[in-house]
Amino acid sequence: MQKRSEVKVEETWDLTPLFESEQLFEEAIEALLTKASDIEQEFKGKIKSAQDAVNVITAYQTLYEALIPVGTYSSLSLSEDQTNDESQLRSAKVGQNFSKISAQLSFITSELLLLDEAVLTEAKGLAPQFEHYIDNLIKKKPYQLHPEAEKALAAFGTTFDAPYGLYNTTKLVDIKFDNFEVNGQSFPLSYNSFEGDWELESDTEIRRAAFAAFSNKLRDYQNTTAKTYDTHLKIEKTDSDLRGYDSIFDSLLFDQEVDRELYNRQIDLITKELAPHMRRYAKLLQKEHGLDKITFADLKISLDPTYEPKISIEESRKYMNDGLSILGEDYQNMLDRSFEERWIDFAQNEGKSTGAFCSSPYGKHPYILISWTSRMNEVFVLAHELGHAGHFYIAQKEQNIFNSRPSLYFIEAPSTMNEMLMANHLLSNSSDARFKRWVISTIIARTYYHNFVTHLLEAAYQRKVYEIIDGGGSVNASILNKLKREVLEDFWGDTVEITEGAELTWMRQPHYYMGLYPYTYSAGLTIATQVSQRILNEGEPAVQDWLKVLKAGGTKSPVELAKMAGVDITTEKPLKDTIAYIGSLIDQLEALSEELAVENV
């Protein structure tokens, strides 16, 4: 694994649009501290009228917009290489200063909520652009603490975020994987190489040996990681109790603007009704690869690995343009800019964050992190992250900073939509049975397995964890391992052998430090599946509806956004239809495999 200084510059992102120099970055922090003090001096204790409310929100908006590039620059610098001392210290400094500013300005929310609701309604009339912001404030009023308590909690912001930082330090800095051996040959191992290559390796002996070596190393750190996670959970529970929520679930779902019915439906229905389809897929993998048994370590392999092409970064650009062209000229311009202006960090290097993500700082262009392996499945990963980028690229043109970001429940709909559009494009451009089987298997193995199985089973496990915490309990490595294994065995039944080490997969996921996030992948993909079918059947009218949804940003609830796109998520029908669609894809895979087997006789 190369060091960050050794990778090709053209495969890295360019952070200079955020700050051209470290000096400008430092000056921006000082300016923020000065601005925060000015706002405190001008407004603290003086917010009495509707016009005062508008004035302080306007001042806060300006500060908030200046905070974003500072936080983004610090975060992305650390994500590209967690081993970099300068990035670690920069991140710590930003965290400390942001906590200071947050504590200093906590009076804004407290004083606004002390106003009579009629005054706040008047403020919305004076400044309609702040209506959404004020409405959200009013919703939080029952859970608002005394101003001094809010200030104290805000001051502890960095401390409360510490478990996530500790998790990443353990995972990306301290854990060092040894090479593993198969038949006398040594192979290198790291987090990124395992999740990007070895987990997908077609050679069964190498793949299973990599899984064993990877799991054995994780096991060495399970107790520290579990203690870190338990600390994070206790912070969430304490906050929920202090604010008077009925449960930790209600606390975490509050900002998502959905209730526990929608949350539980995703987990319960998929666990029950998708499992039989995915077990058929697992058996198909076993048959096509001639495996004596199929284990947890085998579930990520390609159905037809000899057919899967290697894709260069430049070739991926053509796939993006062709597959997503249906979204219009402005969207294509965004795609071109993302490559030409180095919005995307493709490099593989030591200390880089695992997986992939998109950061979309308001007022700047989005940034995407991915570790490019040249495997075709990375085309779908890149399309996914560009879905996030396109969403915020469009929303931020239309909405102010308070209105641009939708509920977490909806956040994965635009990303998974791009995966579906890419699949639709590939399927429509070939009638070859082997190619068609390869595309459909990629949809199952990447899009649906990742979002409807991996993340959904994380959500099922996470729910069990939160039930323990909500009841006043604690968790340790033994409990977390037991819960994870139970969830995996329940879903896969007797079809898949849950390999020793599979129970440790809870250690790999940073989403557990982001509230009730994992289940939202399946929620977003449910919406995306239904809308992508509309686009296939109806064409341009459905596309225009979808673009209107993207433009709406966070001005509407998830239910309202889905309805704009023609999907009613208040019922279980979209989810049931999506599960049935997955089943139909597996039907096609089985039929195509039989057809190809006959041809090859």
Side-chain angles (χ1 to χ4, degrees):
M1 183 64 69
Q2 292 179 304
K3 294 186 181 299
R4 183 69 180 183
S5 59
E6 298 169 339
V7 301
K8 297 177 182 177
V9 172
E10 58 269 27
E11 293 184 6
T12 65
W13 50 28
D14 177 15
L15 299 183
T16 56
L18 295 171
F19 292 101
E20 292 186 1
S21 68
E22 197 68 24
Q23 181 181 344
L24 290 174
F25 172 75
E26 293 290 339
E27 290 173 359
I29 294 178
E30 292 304 314
L32 284 170
L33 292 170
T34 300
K35 177 66 174 173
S37 295
D38 290 345
I39 292 174
E40 183 183 31
Q41 185 174 355
E42 182 177 357
F43 294 103
K44 189 173 183 180
K46 304 170 187 174
I47 306 173
K48 307 297 182 184
S49 68
Q51 189 59 58
D52 293 337
V54 171
N55 291 343
V56 74
I57 295 171
T58 302
Y60 176 61
Q61 179 183 21
T62 303
L63 177 73
Y64 190 16
E65 289 175 354
L67 279 169
I68 295 298
V70 171
T72 303
Y73 181 77
S74 167
S75 173
L76 297 185
S77 298
L78 187 61
S79 294
E80 70 186 30
D81 183 5
Q82 298 265 353
T83 68
N84 186 298
D85 288 345
E86 184 179 337
S87 296
Q88 291 175 11
L89 294 174
R90 183 192 296 114
S91 178
K93 179 178 181 178
V94 168
Q96 290 169 348
N97 283 305
F98 277 20
S99 292
K100 179 181 178 180
I101 291 170
S102 183
Q104 213 171 0
L105 300 185
S106 64
F107 76 89
I108 296 175
T109 298
S110 296
E111 291 192 26
L112 286 172
L113 288 179
L114 287 174
L115 296 174
D116 190 89
E117 195 163 326
V119 177
L120 292 175
T121 300
E122 184 184 347
K124 289 191 289 184
L126 292 173
Q129 70 272 25
F130 298 145
E131 180 177 355
H132 186 65
Y133 175 81
I134 293 172
D135 284 342
N136 282 340
L137 272 185
I138 294 170
K139 290 176 188 175
K140 292 180 180 178
K141 191 167 186 173
Y143 309 107
Q144 188 75 4
L145 303 177
H146 186 279
E148 289 304 313
E150 291 289 353
K151 182 177 181 178
L153 288 174
F156 275 102
T158 302
T159 306
F160 292 155
D161 290 338
Y164 183 48
L166 288 170
Y167 166 77
N168 277 321
T169 300
T170 303
K171 174 180 176 179
L172 300 171
V173 180
D174 284 349
I175 297 181
K176 303 295 183 186
F177 293 91
D178 299 321
N179 288 8
F180 66 96
E181 288 193 8
V182 177
N183 296 326
Q185 186 175 355
S186 180
F187 298 91
L189 184 63
S190 67
Y191 243 108
N192 276 317
S193 69
F194 177 73
E195 294 186 345
D197 278 311
W198 299 127
E199 199 171 27
L200 313 172
E201 170 62 42
S202 58
D203 186 303
T204 301
E205 198 171 356
I206 294 175
R207 180 178 65 255
R208 290 177 179 175
F211 184 89
F214 183 77
S215 300
N216 287 338
K217 180 56 68 173
L218 289 186
R219 191 173 287 106
D220 291 341
Y221 292 83
Q222 63 180 324
N223 295 306
T224 300
T225 306
K227 190 64 179 176
T228 301
Y229 183 39
D230 185 59
T231 303
H232 168 77
L233 293 166
K234 294 294 176 51
I235 291 170
E236 288 183 319
K237 173 61 174 170
T238 301
D239 185 74
S240 171
D241 289 346
L242 281 174
R243 296 188 180 281
Y245 288 96
D246 291 338
S247 73
I248 197 169
F249 294 98
D250 295 308
S251 169
L252 296 173
L253 288 172
F254 182 84
D255 286 334
Q256 292 188 23
E257 301 179 82
V258 294
D259 57 28
R260 290 180 71 173
E261 182 183 353
L262 269 69
Y263 166 69
N264 287 322
R265 178 197 296 156
Q266 289 297 128
I267 298 172
D268 294 336
L269 210 56
I270 293 175
T271 301
K272 178 184 176 183
E273 298 194 11
L274 181 63
H277 296 306
M278 294 309 299
R279 290 172 190 174
R280 283 196 294 130
Y281 176 69
K283 287 178 180 176
L284 183 60
L285 283 177
Q286 181 180 357
K287 178 182 177 182
E288 291 297 306
H289 283 265
L291 302 176
D292 57 332
K293 60 183 177 181
I294 186 154
T295 74
F296 185 80
D298 303 320
L299 289 170
K300 295 286 184 75
I301 55 179
S302 170
L303 189 64
D304 189 357
T306 61
Y307 191 76
E308 187 162 339
K310 292 288 185 180
I311 303 294
S312 69
I313 291 172
E314 190 54 38
E315 286 170 332
S316 76
R317 178 176 178 174
K318 186 176 188 313
Y319 273 100
M320 296 304 118
N321 281 318
D322 292 347
L324 304 176
S325 62
I326 194 170
L327 293 175
E329 185 178 350
D330 187 43
Y331 204 96
Q332 281 213 291
N333 289 338
M334 183 275 297
L335 296 174
D336 287 331
R337 286 185 61 197
S338 71
F339 284 87
E340 292 164 4
E341 300 173 17
R342 287 172 49 209
W343 298 4
I344 309 167
D345 200 85
F346 291 98
Q348 287 201 46
N349 60 262
E350 182 181 315
K352 184 173 179 178
S353 291
T354 59
F357 68 74
C358 176
S359 175
S360 299
Y362 190 88
K364 305 291 183 180
H365 64 66
Y367 284 92
I368 290 171
L369 178 142
I370 186 172
S371 294
W372 192 254
T373 63
S374 299
R375 291 178 181 270
M376 183 62 188
N377 77 313
E378 295 290 353
V379 169
F380 284 84
V381 178
L382 185 54
H384 178 106
E385 300 307 334
L386 283 166
H388 287 304
H391 184 192
F392 290 107
Y393 175 82
I394 291 171
Q396 289 175 8
K397 282 184 175 182
E398 302 288 329
Q399 308 294 342
N400 66 40
I401 195 168
F402 299 128
N403 296 351
S404 62
R405 191 173 186 83
S407 154
L408 194 64
Y409 184 94
F410 190 83
I411 210 79
E412 295 298 338
S415 54
T416 52
M417 167 63 90
N418 275 17
E419 294 189 57
M420 298 307 300
L421 293 177
M422 185 63 65
N424 290 346
H425 166 73
L426 292 173
L427 286 172
S428 67
N429 281 275
S430 177
S431 58
D432 178 74
R434 194 176 181 193
F435 180 80
K436 187 175 181 180
R437 185 179 73 153
W438 170 75
V439 173
I440 295 172
S441 67
T442 303
I443 300 170
I444 295 295
R446 158 60 211 174
T447 302
Y448 285 109
Y449 187 97
H450 187 67
N451 299 294
F452 253 71
V453 179
T454 299
H455 288 318
L456 195 281
L457 294 184
E458 288 164 359
Y461 152 84
Q462 185 185 44
R463 185 171 63 176
K464 290 175 179 288
V465 171
Y466 276 124
E467 285 169 350
I468 291 172
I469 299 300
D470 216 33
S474 299
V475 293
N476 59 20
S478 297
I479 291 171
L480 296 176
N481 289 342
K482 177 176 177 290
L483 293 177
K484 187 63 181 179
R485 178 168 285 276
E486 285 175 356
V487 167
L488 293 174
E489 289 175 344
D490 183 44
F491 186 83
W492 291 110
D494 296 332
T495 303
V496 176
E497 180 182 299
I498 306 303
T499 320
E500 185 69 26
E503 71 281 358
L504 296 167
T505 52
W506 62 266
M507 295 178 64
R508 294 163 54 182
Q509 184 51 268
H511 290 162
Y512 297 136
Y513 296 83
M514 303 172 190
L516 296 177
Y517 187 18
Y519 91 101
T520 66
Y521 281 85
S522 66
L525 183 50
T526 298
I527 297 168
T529 300
Q530 298 307 305
V531 179
S532 67
Q533 291 299 300
R534 268 199 70 205
I535 289 174
L536 266 181
N537 296 326
E538 300 174 29
E540 191 60 23
V543 171
Q544 290 306 313
D545 283 347
W546 184 243
L547 291 174
K548 288 174 185 174
V549 169
L550 301 184
K551 290 177 182 179
T555 58
K556 297 183 182 298
S557 71
V559 170
E560 291 169 328
L561 289 171
K563 188 175 181 180
M564 286 175 66
V567 183
D568 182 5
I569 59 171
T570 64
T571 73
E572 63 182 23
K573 186 177 185 301
L575 181 53
K576 280 184 168 287
D577 287 348
T578 299
I579 293 171
Y581 175 70
I582 298 170
S584 73
L585 291 177
I586 295 171
D587 290 341
Q588 291 181 63
L589 287 182
E590 290 173 333
L592 287 166
S593 296
E594 288 293 329
E595 178 184 333
L596 290 167
V598 170
E599 289 179 2
N600 292 327
V601 171

